[in-house]
Amino acid sequence: MRTVHFEHRDHWRNKVYPSPFHSRQKELNVLRTWSRWYDYLSVPAYFDATLEYFAARNACAVFDLTPMTKHVISGPDALPFLNRLVTRDVAKIKPGRVGYCVWCTDEGQVIDDGTIFHLEPGRYRLCSQEHQIDWLMINANGFDVDIVEDTHDVAGLALQGPTACATLKRMGLAGIENLTPFGLAHFDFSGTQLMVSRTGYTGDLGYELWIDPDHAELLWDRLFEAGELHNIRPMGSDALDMTRIEAGFILAGVDFMPAMHTVRPTHTRSPLELGLSWLVDFNKPLFNGRRALLEEKARGSRYRFVKLDIEGNKPANNAYVFDRREKNIGWITSAMWSPSAKKNIALATLDMPHGKIGDEVLVEIYYQRELKWSRVMANARVVKDPFWDPPRRRLTPPADF
Amino acid sequence: MINRGEKMIIIGGGHNGLVCAAFLARAGYAVTVLEAASQVGGAAVTHEFAPGFKVSQGAHLLYLLDEGIRKDLALDSHGLKMAGTGLATTSISAGGDYLRINGDQLDGPGAEPDDQAAMPEYLRMMNRFAGVLQRLHNRTPMRLGTTDRGDLKALARLGWDIRRMGKRDMREFLRITGINVYDVLQENFNSELLKGALSLEGVLGTFLGTRSNNSVFCALQRMSNGARYDLPAGGMGAVSEAIAAAARSHGAEIRTSARVRRILTEGEEACGVELEDGSVIEARCIISNADPKTTFNRLLGAQHLEAGFAHRVRNIRSNGCVAKLHLALSEPPRFTGLPDEFTGDRLVIAPSLQYVEHAFNHAKYREYSKDPVMEITVPSLHDDSLAPAGQHVLSAVVQWAPHNLKQGWSEAKVAFTGRVMDVLAKHDPEIRGKTLYSELLTPADMESGFGMTGGHWHHAEMAMDQFLMMRPVYGAAQYRTPVNGLWLCGAGCHPGGGVMGSAGRNAANAIIESAGG
């Protein structure tokens, strides 16, 4: 693992690095507010989270992904290693493709979710929200596999929104419009390699750009230069959170407790309880949690993860959910007023058997109006589809702007 | 589901594997035992280490063999005989004092009146506590966190076993079981020779010093069959041979020189074994008498297990600490101050608690003891089949000799043998002159010779966190493993090491029960 050579040599005091894009972020960070995202400083909002959100939905927005935990997994057993680790069949992720996945404990409880990039035949990158190197090393027992955490060696930017493709084209990435969702492409960039994946956390047209940290600032500059006419904006984590709720994506530590950080055994969640059964491939002979998940499938899950369409416009953060007889049946994990869907939306965990598509429930929302607290029992309906899922998300080539 | 008549394979013909085979064969199953060595017995074997001199190569005293197994398999009618029974323990010293422990009687110049008075009560207490463990030995461990009636009943029974000891004994049981022998012996006795000798019950065969917690637990475990030391006629190999004969009489097939290379799986099912010679034997029930690390990491491969389970297996503590010294002697040893009539006792060199603790200290730093502790037998005094007439063999368990020795055993073996002989010579100055031939087996030798990870006699350290439903690890403590059709039956399972046989019989019972009786 390479040590990052930043000007701030005293990072050991708190082990928080400035991101390789820090010099550029600093200039744009009007609010001068920073948060910690594991090893890095991250920007919650540069100026106004809602405006940044609208940039992502109506133009394009840039989000610094560098703090994502990254690993390179290679060696003769890389594929069997990953297939034992995650619940889906990694053999189906061909070279040059990316796959979303979750991984579990032996008890079938989700440790984290992330993406596997099949960089080249037999060589993979695993990106995760949480630090995973301990669990990966534990998993390496019995496999001929090389695992390197290279979080600090790769700088990442997400470019998300309808004008993202046009911006990259203008930056000179020839043929980028032909990249299909979950595809990978490589480009020469000022003497280094720029990897672009058509992936993201916004549920919209978008790309993620991966480069060595020495070229990070140049990438930022070229991107903003090319994006000027396409209304490019920086985006902080608050705006990103809004987009991911609209897309129905879960967030570790918010919508579920990562199993390794959970003390009480009933507070963890299985993939089936997070609406991720499509990621679990029981045709694989063995993966961590398979036996437990098979049992769960036969016995029935404890919880159901649902999307709620709530009446009114008061965001239902931290709310309890009740059935029609006002019996508590669960709680909201993420909620917002969705400006794009024009709906009051939420993600929630409900006790089984509640939460079938179309079920009507009540949400107890507390809200403040000019400091005065009020409470409403709002009607809500369990819905199937994400609140934001535009056709351009999948369209290849995307429309030009 | 296994049908009667369907082939079962037992990997390893150690005593537990043979016991398991005998009980399965007796219940009508077609069992084949595959033993890597040319003789059965594993570490319970008799071995001719010099022309005409034979000795028990691993364990040299029989003190835990389950009476029920001995009876059910009619081992006595299959040739099991004792050359010596109820051996007294005699603590010897370089100064010539000695102390003889014969049941609850203390004799010899080292015996003190206070200790003589305290001994019966100490033994009563320890034997009573050991009885609680003993009652757990012949059952499959209960699982925690289930609502299964059998599990709950077994837990309640354990609770009742402790509770019914009465307030005073229960309190004492709960107080001392987790602590160390040093403290308990200091509370009860004065004589250093006595305390040193008794402390060995807690630390022999372990990576524990007298002041290490768990050592009382180990002492109770060792004393769980009445703390009676027997010497089988013909050495420990005779025990294994008798069990093998019983197994054969019930129809079990036992193949020696058949080393298993790996366990074959199909999906999550065990489907057979591949031998070193490349041949494959198919079976849907594979029972491993090998230690858990060998079974899961080497024979099966950790990649065939879920990662959390494989990680627990990797973390099993199995750093063997015991070396074994064998001497071929031209005449019997004669220890300073010790009357000749007692030379056939179980002799211990553990002259004080401090001596034993210091001997252990080295092991913590991956060194061998400068002044090792020894448990010595001269079996040829009881059994003339072991040595030519008038000549003798001495067998000594020597501690501590950690498997993970800093400089490695190939380098250190000669020097350590020298240290051991020096310590012996302090007690019998003539010993070097009488020695015709000597052999020292280090944990490294036992690992390669017996296939035990870390050369650990008990396959996995005996300790409360590696006992009962946690032995060898949670998820395999009921003899069944996460791989369907693969079972464990060795000392790495409950109730653990020592030539006991209970793990083998419990495994057989669990398999028979899973097949529907």
Side-chain angles (χ1 to χ4, degrees):
Chain A
M1 203 166 101
R2 198 173 79 182
T3 310
V4 192
H5 37 87
F6 291 124
E7 65 225 273
H8 302 284
R9 280 286 183 179
D10 60 350
H11 65 269
W12 51 269
R13 288 182 196 281
N14 46 14
K15 207 183 166 245
V16 181
Y17 302 99
S19 145
F21 302 107
H22 189 78
S23 62
R24 305 301 190 264
Q25 293 175 308
K26 204 166 63 180
E27 294 304 310
L28 296 164
N29 190 351
V30 175
L31 299 179
R32 296 286 186 270
T33 305
W34 302 88
S35 62
R36 180 179 183 164
W37 179 0
Y38 276 124
D39 299 345
Y40 286 94
L41 283 177
S42 176
V43 184
Y46 287 86
F47 173 63
D48 182 293
T50 310
L51 292 181
E52 291 160 25
Y53 158 84
F54 276 114
R57 287 294 182 233
N58 297 325
C60 67
V62 177
F63 179 76
D64 178 12
L65 280 175
T66 309
M68 286 283 286
T69 312
K70 306 170 215 98
H71 318 84
V72 172
I73 293 158
S74 58
D77 287 345
L79 177 61
F81 166 85
L82 285 168
N83 254 337
R84 207 270 308 256
L85 178 73
V86 304
T87 58
R88 70 181 282 176
D89 187 358
V90 181
K92 290 182 180 159
I93 305 172
K94 301 294 176 204
R97 301 292 300 168
V98 183
Y100 174 61
C101 56
V102 288
W103 49 100
C104 295
T105 60
D106 289 13
E107 291 73 34
Q109 303 301 300
V110 176
I111 292 171
D112 202 358
D113 63 344
T115 40
I116 292 176
F117 293 67
H118 198 161
L119 301 173
E120 55 197 74
R123 196 161 168 270
Y124 298 86
R125 161 158 292 131
L126 176 69
C127 285
S128 59
Q129 166 74 19
E130 305 285 315
H131 282 175
Q132 292 299 331
I133 192 69
D134 283 356
W135 182 240
L136 296 181
M137 295 318 283
I138 285 171
N139 270 269
N141 181 14
F143 289 98
D144 185 0
V145 66
D146 293 318
I147 301 167
V148 180
E149 187 191 325
D150 62 346
T151 301
H152 304 309
D153 298 347
V154 183
L157 285 181
L159 179 70
Q160 303 281 310
T163 66
C165 181
T167 299
L168 292 179
K169 237 171 20 184
R170 189 180 296 268
M171 202 175 83
L173 305 189
I176 187 71
E177 65 276 14
N178 297 324
L179 191 62
T180 55
F182 291 100
L184 272 181
H186 297 88
F187 300 92
D188 285 332
F189 182 86
S190 192
T192 191
Q193 193 187 57
L194 170 67
M195 184 173 84
V196 181
S197 54
R198 188 165 163 187
T199 47
Y201 200 43
T202 62
D204 207 322
L205 174 64
Y207 300 86
E208 289 171 340
L209 289 72
W210 312 90
I211 200 158
D212 78 80
D214 294 339
H215 287 76
E217 290 165 339
L218 184 63
L219 175 65
W220 182 285
D221 294 342
R222 297 268 287 277
L223 201 57
F224 275 78
E225 196 183 304
E228 202 182 344
L229 285 175
H230 302 290
N231 258 324
I232 194 168
R233 291 287 181 273
M235 167 167 68
S237 50
D238 293 349
L240 184 74
D241 197 47
M242 295 166 74
T243 58
R244 70 98 192 163
I245 297 171
E246 285 183 333
F249 295 153
I250 55 171
L251 178 56
V254 174
D255 296 296
F256 70 97
M257 272 303 289
M260 295 302 182
H261 297 212
T262 310
V263 177
R264 299 160 188 83
T266 56
H267 289 200
T268 55
R269 292 292 178 270
S270 80
L272 313 182
E273 291 167 340
L274 290 174
L276 300 175
S277 47
W278 61 278
L279 281 179
V280 182
D281 188 345
F282 288 115
N283 294 322
K284 288 200 295 180
L286 175 75
F287 58 84
N288 296 333
R290 182 178 189 272
R291 185 179 290 252
L293 291 173
L294 271 176
E295 275 171 26
E296 182 186 331
K297 208 177 150 195
R299 186 191 63 225
S301 302
R302 303 163 299 171
Y303 303 102
R304 193 180 340 242
F305 189 77
V306 298
K307 303 180 191 74
L308 290 181
D309 182 353
I310 307 169
E311 71 173 4
N313 59 6
K314 312 288 184 300
N317 299 85
N318 311 317
Y320 275 129
V321 181
F322 298 86
D323 68 5
R324 305 306 298 179
R325 278 173 296 177
E326 305 216 355
K327 178 180 161 249
N328 186 346
I329 55 166
W331 65 93
I332 303 288
T333 56
S334 295
M336 68 182 286
W337 167 258
S338 162
S340 299
K342 307 275 187 285
K343 278 178 184 163
N344 191 18
I345 66 172
L347 307 177
T349 291
L350 301 187
D351 298 336
M352 289 296 265
H354 299 285
K356 289 189 278 293
I357 305 298
D359 275 8
E360 300 279 343
V361 295
L362 290 168
V363 180
E364 181 182 30
I365 302 171
Y366 285 78
Y367 64 97
Q368 250 183 329
R369 192 174 277 161
E370 290 171 340
L371 297 184
K372 181 182 178 295
W373 279 104
S374 303
R375 166 180 172 271
V376 60
M377 287 294 266
N379 287 307
R381 198 165 47 84
V382 177
V383 298
K384 179 166 174 282
D385 295 323
F387 305 99
W388 183 253
D389 189 20
R392 68 179 180 231
R393 178 182 176 188
R394 277 171 283 269
L395 195 66
T396 309
D400 213 352
F401 284 92
Chain B
M1 184 64 125
I2 298 290
N3 301 315
R4 222 161 269 201
E6 194 171 326
K7 189 166 198 145
M8 292 179 170
I9 289 170
I10 296 184
I11 302 170
H15 70 278
N16 274 312
L18 296 171
V19 167
C20 187
F23 280 100
L24 286 172
R26 200 176 72 148
Y29 294 93
V31 190
T32 301
V33 179
L34 302 172
E35 168 56 42
S38 56
Q39 57 180 337
V40 295
V45 285
T46 306
H47 155 73
E48 185 166 340
F49 69 105
F53 293 89
K54 287 189 278 189
V55 73
S56 300
Q57 205 175 8
H60 60 183
L61 285 165
L62 195 64
Y63 56 94
L64 281 172
L65 181 66
D66 185 80
E67 281 306 313
I69 292 172
R70 189 167 170 180
K71 207 168 116 246
D72 285 354
L73 295 182
L75 296 185
D76 295 38
S77 71
H78 286 290
L80 181 62
K81 277 205 302 280
M82 294 302 149
T85 55
L87 263 59
T89 293
T90 297
S91 189
I92 58 174
S93 70
D97 278 355
Y98 71 90
L99 181 144
R100 190 158 189 265
I101 310 166
N102 196 1
D104 60 6
Q105 299 296 308
L106 304 180
D107 305 300
E112 294 181 22
D114 284 355
D115 292 343
Q116 283 167 329
M119 191 66 179
E121 169 57 15
Y122 174 78
L123 279 184
R124 182 201 70 80
M125 177 184 79
M126 293 297 276
N127 282 328
R128 186 163 200 208
F129 298 170
V132 174
L133 300 184
Q134 199 276 332
R135 281 191 287 281
L136 293 169
H137 284 176
N138 294 317
R139 297 184 223 147
T140 297
M142 60 293 253
R143 296 164 300 173
L144 292 181
T146 70
T147 50
D148 180 87
R149 282 174 68 92
D151 291 334
L152 295 175
K153 229 172 93 183
L155 270 175
R157 203 165 134 184
L158 172 59
W160 174 240
D161 269 356
I162 296 170
R163 184 66 192 89
R164 74 167 179 185
M165 286 194 289
K167 196 161 152 191
R168 189 172 148 270
D169 274 5
M170 179 182 75
R171 193 167 54 199
E172 196 62 7
F173 176 80
L174 295 175
R175 183 179 76 89
I176 71 166
T177 309
I179 66 171
N180 61 78
V181 286
Y182 185 97
D183 288 348
V184 171
L185 292 170
Q186 288 290 46
E187 286 168 12
N188 285 284
F189 300 112
N190 294 326
S191 154
E192 284 300 331
L193 272 179
L194 176 63
K195 287 185 282 189
L198 292 178
S199 76
L200 290 197
E201 302 290 359
V203 300
L204 274 183
T206 73
F207 190 77
L208 300 175
T210 58
R211 280 173 162 143
S212 309
N213 289 342
N214 263 316
S215 47
V216 170
F217 170 79
C218 286
L220 293 174
Q221 181 70 8
R222 254 181 98 88
M223 294 170 75
S224 63
N225 206 25
R228 191 186 136 96
Y229 291 101
D230 293 344
L231 270 177
M236 290 300 268
V239 180
S240 302
E241 290 297 344
I243 305 172
R248 282 195 196 95
S249 77
H250 288 298
E253 182 195 0
I254 298 171
R255 284 176 58 186
T256 52
S257 306
R259 184 182 290 274
V260 172
R261 184 190 290 160
R262 63 194 184 106
I263 296 166
L264 304 172
T265 55
E266 211 177 78
E268 50 181 12
E269 315 277 331
C271 63
V273 295
E274 184 189 299
L275 302 187
E276 277 298 337
D277 64 12
S279 62
V280 168
I281 306 176
E282 288 180 11
R284 291 199 307 156
C285 182
I286 317 281
I287 305 150
S288 178
N289 184 28
D291 69 87
K293 285 182 175 173
T294 299
T295 303
F296 290 119
N297 292 341
R298 204 162 60 73
L299 296 176
L300 180 71
Q303 70 274 24
H304 296 296
L305 297 160
E306 289 176 90
F309 180 86
H311 190 56
R312 289 201 291 280
V313 170
R314 193 161 65 168
N315 286 343
I316 294 171
R317 298 193 305 287
S318 58
N319 185 34
C321 283
V322 184
K324 191 75 199 299
L325 177 76
H326 304 140
L327 299 181
L329 300 173
S330 56
E331 53 184 285
R334 187 155 288 133
F335 295 104
T336 315
L338 185 73
D340 284 350
E341 57 195 294
F342 300 146
T343 311
D345 287 356
R346 169 180 177 256
L347 304 173
V348 296
I349 298 179
S352 71
L353 284 171
Q354 225 31 278
Y355 179 97
V356 179
E357 184 70 10
H358 283 158
F360 171 65
N361 278 349
H362 298 273
K364 292 191 284 192
Y365 307 106
R366 300 174 59 194
E367 296 160 2
Y368 54 71
S369 305
K370 210 170 121 232
D371 293 307
V373 158
M374 288 190 220
E375 177 195 62
I376 302 164
T377 59
V378 188
S380 50
L381 288 171
H382 302 267
D383 181 350
D384 53 19
S385 73
L386 298 175
Q391 301 189 319
H392 288 277
V393 289
L394 179 148
S395 163
V397 167
V398 185
Q399 277 186 205
W400 278 254
H403 176 265
N404 62 352
L405 197 72
K406 242 185 268 172
Q407 69 270 42
W409 275 109
S410 52
E411 201 150 301
K413 192 166 164 170
V414 173
F416 183 59
T417 310
R419 286 299 319 167
V420 176
M421 291 305 288
D422 286 348
V423 171
L424 267 182
K426 281 185 196 162
H427 298 78
D428 176 0
E430 311 293 322
I431 195 79
R432 280 200 160 92
K434 300 174 193 170
T435 302
L436 304 170
Y437 190 86
S438 78
E439 174 188 69
L440 184 94
L441 297 177
T442 68
D445 297 326
M446 293 192 224
E447 181 173 57
S448 58
F450 303 135
M452 307 186 295
T453 304
H456 201 295
W457 288 36
H458 302 154
H459 288 192
E461 191 78 7
M462 286 303 296
M464 287 173 95
D465 65 316
Q466 295 192 156
F467 184 64
L468 204 59
M469 72 287 275
M470 319 237 260
R471 188 172 185 87
V473 292
Y474 151 69
Q478 285 73 33
Y479 308 100
R480 186 195 288 271
T481 74
V483 177
N484 291 336
L486 176 63
W487 299 74
L488 300 177
C489 74
C493 303
H494 174 77
V499 178
M500 194 184 312
S502 299
R505 183 177 58 185
N506 291 353
N509 286 341
I511 293 162
I512 293 166
E513 198 184 320
S514 86

